């Protein structure tokens, strides 16, 4: 079992080039199944979830792999030789669910089991299934196996989402691009990764309008083709490195990012007393004075404060002067990092969906286990600001979403190594 060993108290500095977006890369890799040709994707992060998506693509009969040592993934989907996915592969990550929309769109048939992923409380897929049924899919669910058929092609439909779910919006788009007729998604999620998926699909010949707004229209087409595409920067990884800098103190430049996607998070860092300047694809960030508590943070759908940033922003607030409050509105069980933060002497009280953080003058290094991907990143941020040595275990969670986290932080001056 690998661990991260962190000697806290080192200020961060220098430039961090932000990786490509995990949450954009994964649905786009599934979308490559629809293209029936060669897809060349630049800026894909080398993270374990991307390797899991490659394993699924290979299982389906596609060719998929990194092209050399960089961040370009090449996928060929001329032939699809299977339309089922094994339980083992489905369980490796939550994003395996995107292959449902993609496979039924391409082959009219799909047999999968329920997806895995971080345990953030119940993560049902009822909205995905009900939308696909509206588009003509017949879906049988037995003992955790989903058997899905379309009689020929799916058909377009008007779908009103009861909640703007990111994954459901993306799965409908995937199923709709090769369906007969027009699909309209009302109350669609507006996350930037949805626009990235739409831009990719449109470059492959799809006809999608309105991505990034609450109403998305997909005009079904008969055939798509492969293309070359550059995945957007990872706004959550970028925010993680800013939170690490806020927690540890220092000054960094985050480059190759898109600050306009991050306004709600950047506003919180400014309230903490950090200085944030944005210019083009760069964020100049400094945390040179003691941090202050902030107004209550309520996690919301985009453009609200993202639930994915809650854990590491909380870690940065553990030493901020005053009381900060989080209200987690998206997932039921997303405070599992609090236990690790408390081991480092943070003062946090959790009651249902509310967490109250009383700033303390110092954190102390401790042994803690990453409970999930972003919770693990929160523990790393706290360990960087703690006195003494911390050991973070269960880092396979962190590796699902961060490319070489220890190398990135070490290059910025942190004392961190993988053991
Ligand atoms: C995506 C992101 C994840 C982020 C989340 C919220 C990816 C790969 N993952 O996850 O990092 O934390 O958005 O921004 O992009 N729900 C249902 N039924 C459904 C689907 C969702 O009840 O069929 C509920 C979920 O349980 C959750 C809420 O809707 O409470 C939001 O989920 P959703 O937006 O779908 O998140 P994901 O797509 O799983």
């Amino acid at each position: 079992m690998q661990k991260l060993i962190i000697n806290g108290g080192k200020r961060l500095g220098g430039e961090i080039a932000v990786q490509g977006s995990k949450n954009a890369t994964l649905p786009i890799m599934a979308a490559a199944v629809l293209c029936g040709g060669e897809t060349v994707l630049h800026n894909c992060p080398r993270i374990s979830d991307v390797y899991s998506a490659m394993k699924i693509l290979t299982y389906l009969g596609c060719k998929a792999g990194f092209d050399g040592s960089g961040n370009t993934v090449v996928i060929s989907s001329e032939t699809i030789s299977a339309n089922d996915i094994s339980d083992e592969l489905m369980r490796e990550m939550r994003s395996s669910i995107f292959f449902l929309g993609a496979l039924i769109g391409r082959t009219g048939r799909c047999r999968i089991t329920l997806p895995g992923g971080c345990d953030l409380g119940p993560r049902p897929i009822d909205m995905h299934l009900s939308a696909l049924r509206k588009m003509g899919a017949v879906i049988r669910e037995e003992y955790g196996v989903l058997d899905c058929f379309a009689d020929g092609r799916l058909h377009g439909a008007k779908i009103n989402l009861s909640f703007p779910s990111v994954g459901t919006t993306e799965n409908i788009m995937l199923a709709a691009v090769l369906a007969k007729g027009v699909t309209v998604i009302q109350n669609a999620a507006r996350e930037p990764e949805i626009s990235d998926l739409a831009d990719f699909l449109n470059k492959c010949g799809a006809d999608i309008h309105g991505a990034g707004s609450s109403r998305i229209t997909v005009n079904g087409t008969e055939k798509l083709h492969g293309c070359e595409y550059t995945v957007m920067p990872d706004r959550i990884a970028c925010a993680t490195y800013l939170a690490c800098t806020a927690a540890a103190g220092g000054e960094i430049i985050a480059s190759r990012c898109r600050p306009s996607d991050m306004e709600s998070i950047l506003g919180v860092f400014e309230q903490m007393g950090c200085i944030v300047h944005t210019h083009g694809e760069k964020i100049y960030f400094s945390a040179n004075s003691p941090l202050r508590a902030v107004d209550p943070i309520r996690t919301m759908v985009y453009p609200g404060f993202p639930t994915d940033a809650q854990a590491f922003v909380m870690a940065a607030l553990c030493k901020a002067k005053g009381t900060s409050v989080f209200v987690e509105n998206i997932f039921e069980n997303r405070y599992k990092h609090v236990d690790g933060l408390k081991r480092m002497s943070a003062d946090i009280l959790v009651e249902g969906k509310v967490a109250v953080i009383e700033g303390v003058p110092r954190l102390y290094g401790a042994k803690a286990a990453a409970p999930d991907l972003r919770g693990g990143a929160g523990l790393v941020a706290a360990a960087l600001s703690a006195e003494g040595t911390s050991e973070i275990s269960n880092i396979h969670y962190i590796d699902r979403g961060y490319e070489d986290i220890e190398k990135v932080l070490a290059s910025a001056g942190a004392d961190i190594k993988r053991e």
Side-chain angles (χ1 to χ4, degrees):
M1 273 292 190
Q2 296 191 338
K3 291 178 201 155
L4 290 174
I5 312 290
I6 299 171
N7 290 308
K10 305 275 183 301
R11 296 171 67 75
L12 301 190
E15 182 163 333
I16 290 178
V18 176
Q19 68 183 53
S21 164
K22 160 184 161 307
N23 287 355
T25 302
L26 296 171
I28 291 176
M29 288 178 77
V33 166
L34 294 160
C35 299
E38 186 173 90
T39 300
V40 179
L41 292 177
H42 302 296
N43 206 28
C44 298
R46 284 182 178 260
I47 53 175
S48 62
D49 273 10
V50 165
Y51 287 104
S52 298
M54 282 176 186
K55 278 199 247 169
I56 294 179
L57 286 163
T58 309
Y59 180 91
L60 295 174
C62 304
K63 288 194 192 110
F66 276 104
D67 174 23
S69 58
N71 289 96
T72 297
V73 168
V74 181
I75 301 167
S76 304
S77 61
E78 277 89 5
T79 42
I80 299 282
S81 52
N83 48 23
D84 68 300
I85 300 175
S86 70
D87 187 44
E88 195 190 339
L89 290 174
M90 284 301 295
R91 279 171 188 273
E92 282 194 14
M93 59 171 179
R94 171 78 181 174
S95 295
S96 53
I97 193 64
F98 295 129
F99 287 91
L100 170 60
L103 269 177
I104 197 158
R106 168 88 188 254
T107 69
R109 179 81 213 271
C110 171
R111 193 177 152 88
I112 59 171
T113 60
L114 296 175
C118 288
D119 176 15
L120 312 176
R123 295 182 82 176
I125 54 164
D126 54 315
M127 289 162 69
H128 298 241
L129 301 186
S130 120
L132 291 176
R133 284 185 172 120
K134 266 199 130 171
M135 298 174 72
V138 176
I139 305 178
R140 287 198 211 110
E141 291 179 76
E142 262 178 11
Y143 307 111
V145 177
L146 300 172
D147 219 345
C148 317
F149 306 82
D151 189 9
R153 283 164 74 194
L154 293 175
H155 56 73
K158 191 162 183 181
I159 297 162
N160 290 300
L161 297 182
S162 55
F163 177 86
S165 148
V166 177
T168 309
T169 303
E170 292 172 333
N171 234 338
I172 299 170
M173 287 161 63
L174 292 168
V177 283
L178 291 180
K180 265 182 265 168
V182 182
T183 299
V184 178
I185 313 171
Q186 303 265 34
N187 197 26
R190 291 186 286 158
E191 270 67 1
E193 293 77 13
I194 287 169
S195 306
D196 216 42
L197 174 63
D199 289 346
F200 167 76
L201 285 166
N202 283 341
K203 213 169 171 196
C204 296
D207 187 2
I208 304 173
H209 300 268
S213 78
S214 309
R215 184 187 156 95
I216 299 177
T217 307
V218 184
N219 296 308
T221 44
E222 298 244 337
K223 211 167 160 29
L224 298 182
H225 50 77
C227 78
E228 190 168 345
Y229 189 76
T230 301
V231 173
M232 65 178 278
D234 197 314
R235 62 196 168 100
I236 302 300
C238 179
T240 305
Y241 294 123
L242 301 184
C244 288
T245 310
E251 284 182 26
I252 63 158
I253 299 170
S255 59
R256 294 176 55 196
C257 59
R258 216 155 71 188
S260 56
D261 291 341
M262 299 176 57
E263 283 177 8
S264 62
I265 311 178
L266 296 181
V268 169
F269 285 125
E270 283 179 323
Q271 263 197 50
M272 282 186 210
C274 302
I275 295 172
V276 181
H277 288 302
T278 64
H279 183 70
E281 294 186 341
K282 288 191 174 167
I283 299 175
Y284 298 84
F285 186 88
S286 68
N288 284 326
S289 43
L291 300 180
R292 299 188 294 266
V294 297
D295 294 340
I297 295 176
R298 296 176 179 81
T299 63
M300 310 249 215
V301 297
Y302 190 83
F305 186 92
T307 171
D308 284 355
Q310 177 253 104
F312 48 78
V313 170
M314 180 185 293
L317 284 167
C318 287
K319 287 196 331 191
K321 191 168 166 34
T323 309
S324 303
V325 174
F326 283 84
V327 184
E328 172 54 59
N329 290 310
I330 307 294
F331 290 108
E332 275 179 32
N333 195 6
R334 215 168 187 184
Y335 285 134
K336 289 198 291 185
H337 48 282
V338 167
D339 180 49
L341 296 176
K342 282 176 152 177
R343 283 167 181 263
M344 297 181 198
S345 304
D347 181 353
I348 304 173
L349 184 75
V350 174
E351 189 74 51
K353 50 157 74 176
V354 178
V356 181
I357 296 94
E358 291 292 345
V360 292
R362 266 175 287 281
L363 294 181
Y364 298 97
K367 288 187 181 177
D372 51 52
L373 165 58
R374 305 302 170 187
L379 297 182
V380 170
L384 292 170
S385 75
E387 284 179 16
T389 305
S390 297
E391 263 185 45
I392 313 293
S393 57
N394 271 359
I395 60 172
H396 59 277
Y397 283 120
I398 299 176
D399 293 334
R400 293 176 60 171
Y402 295 92
E403 178 173 316
D404 293 333
I405 191 167
E406 75 281 13
K407 289 188 191 143
V408 173
L409 288 168
S411 76
D415 183 347
I416 176 171
K417 64 176 188 225
R418 183 181 289 255
E419 245 181 39

